[in-house]
Amino acid sequence: MARLDYFAPGVYVEEVDRGSRPIEGVQTNIAAFVGFTEAIRNGAEIGKPMLVTSWNQYSEYFAKENSDGFTDFDAYLPFAVNGWFLNGGARCWVVSIGTQLPKLAAETTQPGPETTSLTVKTSGKRQSLQFTLKPEQAQIGPVKVEISPSEPKTTTPVDPNAPAPVPAEFFSVSIKREDEELERFDNLTMSRDVQTEVGNYVLTALEKSQFVDVLDLTEKGLPLARRPINGQFEVSYPPVLPTQENLSRYVQGERDERSGIQGLFEIDEVTIIACPDLMRAYQAGVLNQDQVHGIMELMVSLCENSAPNPPNRMVVLDTPPDRVKPQQVINWLHNDFQRRSMFAALYYPWIKVPNPRKGGKPILVPPCGHMMGVWSRTDEQRGVYKAPANETPRGVIGLAYDCNFREQELLNPQGINCIRTFPGRGIKIWGARTLVEPEKTEWRYISVRRLMSYIEKSIEQGTQWVVFEPNDQDLWARVRRTVGNFLERLWREGALYGATPEQAYYVKCDETLNTPDTMILGRLYIEVGVCPVRPAEFVVFRISQWSGKDEE
């Protein structure tokens, strides 16, 4: 840095930062899902967002041991998350609102101590040991039971007629909480008649445990065959489940508690949001139409109101399951939901996917998760400026309704994006519009809305260094250069329209914007204009006969 004074004669070397700082684009394909799951374990909590980077990791948090991750009551969230990853989604946040369809409070049996049991199986997939968290440990938190190989205390029993111990049948049990070992029991075996100088019967040894109770579920067989497999297993009290009366509150959540839908908006990186199990709750009669609309309205409003930061999130909505035909969907949107926003997208119809819980037989599910996966794939392969349409959704084997060209003529102007089947081409996403009011044509397309959010958020994060810099013409030039370089890069990638950079964008930061009065207030104003590319939604060929001669 430059010094302001010099005293002794000599040569001084000073580092001076005069270059502009490049703006790095933010990530646009981070999703968030809210819905029901099969389980909540391994550190996941009900109502709290959990980061998931793969389907296997989803199963670790929200599926039972050795499960496929889906549910017996056909919750839609697992299908949505699976569709997200299947279609190219990277990481996402998942909020579980329960492990069953809520019942009335009077009919809901909340989990008690007897439901905290964890069963560890043998290598042959048979039940071995059951661990239960002691009641006094419930408020402290879950523990992890780690089973690892051990060895006998001795290989030469005192009784010469006793059989020699088999080292492979011995194991250790370690009780941990947050990677801190609380207890450890070694030289354990499943043999009830083991000699004390050789080893310890597991139930006898763990009677001293202050954290878990243990039950031997085996009846007969050699100790080695009844031995539990090695691994780490969580023992915890199940979460308190929502009831019909308070499900809506669970889904909405609280920002201060970082829970539910509102908690997702405290995670800066989330850019796409969906709640597929709104429709599952509606189907089951847990939520009525007005409650569903209220939650949908909340998601849309939170996407719109992100002040003081630029809005950079969109919500993908689903049509109600009982509105199957195009006319019914239009009537629902016009007369029931009655909500328009450039930060929302709506897809129709529902899609048909294989259901692992029914032997692969098809099930109709909301399309939001698969559509969001296509958004992510398009962002990675082409860029956020490319409309996520004319793409094949992976994992889809059919549609709830085959919409034709004339029916889409009714839906498309209303911002309802159709998923259609084309002979010889398969299933295609055939729409790329937002739910904005039809007259606001500048925000008609999903790609334009997301590109503008991408530009705004990238500039906001990439110019934090400007804060508290001296507000003079040198700073103005550096800001123009920084933002201009970022926009020029976008123009060269094809995100902005124009034959030259001057036609594609402009950056203004001068004395006409920054007057002495504004500078006294500590403000720096920068004006940016961009011309985003728009999708060629209607391709028109004008064909006429030509005689082959010039017209006179």
Side-chain angles (χ1 to χ4, degrees):
M1 58 180 293
R3 295 178 58 174
L4 298 180
D5 51 11
Y6 303 90
F7 297 101
V11 178
Y12 295 84
V13 178
E14 301 172 349
E15 292 185 1
V16 180
D17 184 7
R18 295 193 184 278
S20 60
R21 305 185 186 185
I23 295 176
E24 184 176 359
V26 298
Q27 197 160 359
T28 57
N29 55 346
I30 308 297
F33 297 93
V34 180
F36 300 110
T37 59
E38 183 186 31
I40 305 173
R41 62 190 185 97
N42 286 338
E45 299 179 58
I46 187 168
K48 297 298 181 69
M50 176 63 71
L51 178 63
V52 173
T53 59
S54 66
W55 178 250
N56 288 338
Q57 192 175 44
Y58 171 87
S59 299
E60 291 177 8
Y61 294 129
F62 300 109
K64 296 179 181 178
E65 288 283 347
N66 303 315
S67 170
D68 55 22
F70 297 85
T71 66
D72 292 332
F73 59 95
D74 292 336
Y76 293 141
L77 181 132
F79 292 100
V81 175
N82 185 260
W84 161 260
F85 288 119
L86 196 62
N87 280 277
R91 64 180 185 267
C92 65
W93 293 79
V94 176
V95 176
S96 176
I97 53 174
T99 56
Q100 64 182 35
L101 286 172
K103 302 176 182 178
L104 295 172
E107 303 173 1
T108 301
T109 302
Q110 295 294 351
E114 71 281 356
T115 63
T116 68
S117 301
L118 167 76
T119 300
V120 182
K121 297 184 178 181
T122 68
S123 58
K125 305 300 183 182
R126 295 183 178 181
Q127 292 184 336
S128 179
L129 294 177
Q130 183 182 80
F131 294 89
T132 304
L133 193 65
K134 288 182 178 292
E136 59 269 22
Q137 295 294 323
Q139 300 300 323
I140 303 176
V143 299
K144 290 185 178 180
V145 175
E146 183 175 331
I147 298 176
S148 57
S150 185
E151 56 187 18
K153 298 177 182 178
T154 178
T155 57
T156 55
V158 175
D159 185 357
N161 297 320
V166 179
E169 77 181 54
F170 290 85
F171 58 96
S172 297
V173 171
S174 174
I175 310 298
K176 298 182 177 181
R177 178 175 282 141
E178 296 180 353
D179 296 328
E180 177 187 357
E181 187 172 80
L182 306 173
E183 297 176 330
R184 185 176 183 87
F185 304 89
D186 296 311
N187 316 115
L188 303 179
T189 176
M190 297 295 292
S191 173
R192 301 178 178 90
D193 302 321
V194 65
Q195 297 182 350
T196 56
E197 72 270 14
V198 174
N200 304 313
Y201 176 45
V202 60
L203 259 61
T204 303
L206 266 76
E207 284 180 352
K208 302 176 182 178
S209 174
Q210 301 178 26
F211 299 91
V212 296
D213 294 319
V214 186
L215 181 64
D216 185 352
L217 300 179
T218 62
E219 295 181 358
K220 57 183 179 179
L222 296 174
L224 180 59
R226 297 186 286 118
R227 180 195 187 280
I229 59 173
N230 297 327
Q232 194 173 85
F233 312 92
E234 183 178 81
V235 185
S236 62
Y237 274 84
V240 176
L241 300 175
T243 64
Q244 285 191 20
E245 291 87 344
N246 63 16
L247 175 62
S248 181
R249 178 172 57 84
Y250 265 79
V251 176
Q252 294 182 23
E254 298 181 15
R255 289 191 100 142
D256 292 342
E257 297 294 329
R258 303 292 197 272
S259 64
I261 292 173
Q262 297 195 68
L264 290 174
F265 284 83
E266 298 300 311
I267 303 173
D268 290 337
E269 68 172 5
V270 170
T271 57
I272 324 170
I273 294 175
C275 185
D277 275 324
L278 271 183
M279 297 308 167
R280 186 67 188 92
Y282 174 69
Q283 277 181 311
V286 177
L287 295 176
N288 60 36
Q289 182 173 267
D290 290 338
Q291 290 174 305
V292 170
H293 291 169
I295 295 173
M296 294 168 70
E297 162 65 28
L298 174 68
M299 292 191 290
V300 174
S301 297
L302 289 175
C303 287
E304 293 175 337
N305 300 325
S306 60
N309 299 319
N312 70 321
R313 297 182 177 95
M314 288 192 68
V315 57
V316 180
L317 303 175
D318 300 300
T319 58
D322 52 0
R323 311 299 174 96
V324 179
K325 296 185 177 181
Q327 294 83 355
Q328 294 174 325
V329 174
I330 293 175
N331 182 68
W332 166 75
L333 181 60
H334 282 183
N335 302 321
D336 297 329
F337 186 41
Q338 299 183 16
R339 184 63 159 95
R340 292 284 182 173
S341 175
M342 69 178 77
F343 295 97
L346 179 67
Y347 286 89
Y348 163 85
W350 283 29
I351 56 177
K352 190 180 297 183
V353 299
N355 187 355
R357 287 297 170 95
K358 302 291 175 63
K361 294 181 180 179
I363 180 176
L364 291 174
V365 301
C368 58
H370 292 70
M371 301 302 105
M372 291 160 66
V374 173
W375 286 23
S376 176
R377 185 173 78 211
T378 304
D379 287 358
E380 292 288 341
Q381 296 179 352
R382 298 288 299 277
V384 69
Y385 59 88
K386 165 66 173 68
N390 201 359
E391 299 282 345
T392 300
R394 300 168 186 164
V396 179
I397 59 177
L399 303 175
Y401 184 89
D402 285 324
C403 183
N404 60 35
F405 178 81
R406 294 301 180 191
E407 288 170 325
Q408 188 172 9
E409 283 187 317
L410 301 175
L411 298 169
N412 198 61
Q414 305 304 321
I416 303 171
N417 299 314
C418 287
I419 310 168
R420 293 179 55 189
T421 301
F422 294 90
R425 297 183 61 213
I427 297 174
K428 296 288 183 181
I429 303 171
W430 212 243
R433 294 193 174 194
T434 68
L435 265 183
V436 73
E437 293 88 337
E439 65 272 12
K440 293 185 179 180
T441 55
E442 69 272 24
W443 299 111
R444 172 176 290 173
Y445 298 108
I446 294 171
S447 55
V448 173
R449 176 62 268 173
R450 298 184 71 228
L451 173 62
M452 294 300 293
S453 295
Y454 168 76
I455 292 173
E456 293 166 3
K457 193 68 175 179
S458 298
I459 291 177
E460 181 224 345
Q461 293 191 2
T463 56
Q464 292 293 319
W465 61 269
V466 178
V467 181
F468 294 116
E469 287 291 305
N471 194 354
D472 56 15
Q473 292 184 345
D474 177 65
L475 179 63
W476 302 349
R478 294 174 66 189
V479 170
R480 288 196 301 267
R481 190 161 55 248
T482 297
V483 178
N485 290 343
F486 171 65
L487 296 177
E488 182 178 0
R489 189 166 72 246
L490 287 180
W491 170 70
R492 293 188 183 280
E493 291 174 358
L496 303 178
Y497 175 81
T500 63
E502 292 74 20
Q503 295 177 349
Y505 65 87
Y506 73 87
V507 182
K508 185 178 180 181
C509 182
D510 55 24
E511 61 277 359
T512 62
L513 293 177
N514 299 286
T515 64
D517 290 340
T518 63
M519 295 171 66
I520 289 175
L521 295 173
R523 298 176 183 175
L524 171 63
Y525 289 100
I526 306 103
E527 185 177 306
V528 179
V530 296
C531 183
V533 294
R534 302 178 187 276
E537 187 178 19
F538 307 102
V539 180
V540 181
F541 286 92
R542 291 175 175 167
I543 302 174
S544 62
Q545 296 187 35
W546 181 50
S547 65
K549 298 180 180 180
D550 293 334
E551 295 184 3
E552 298 181 359

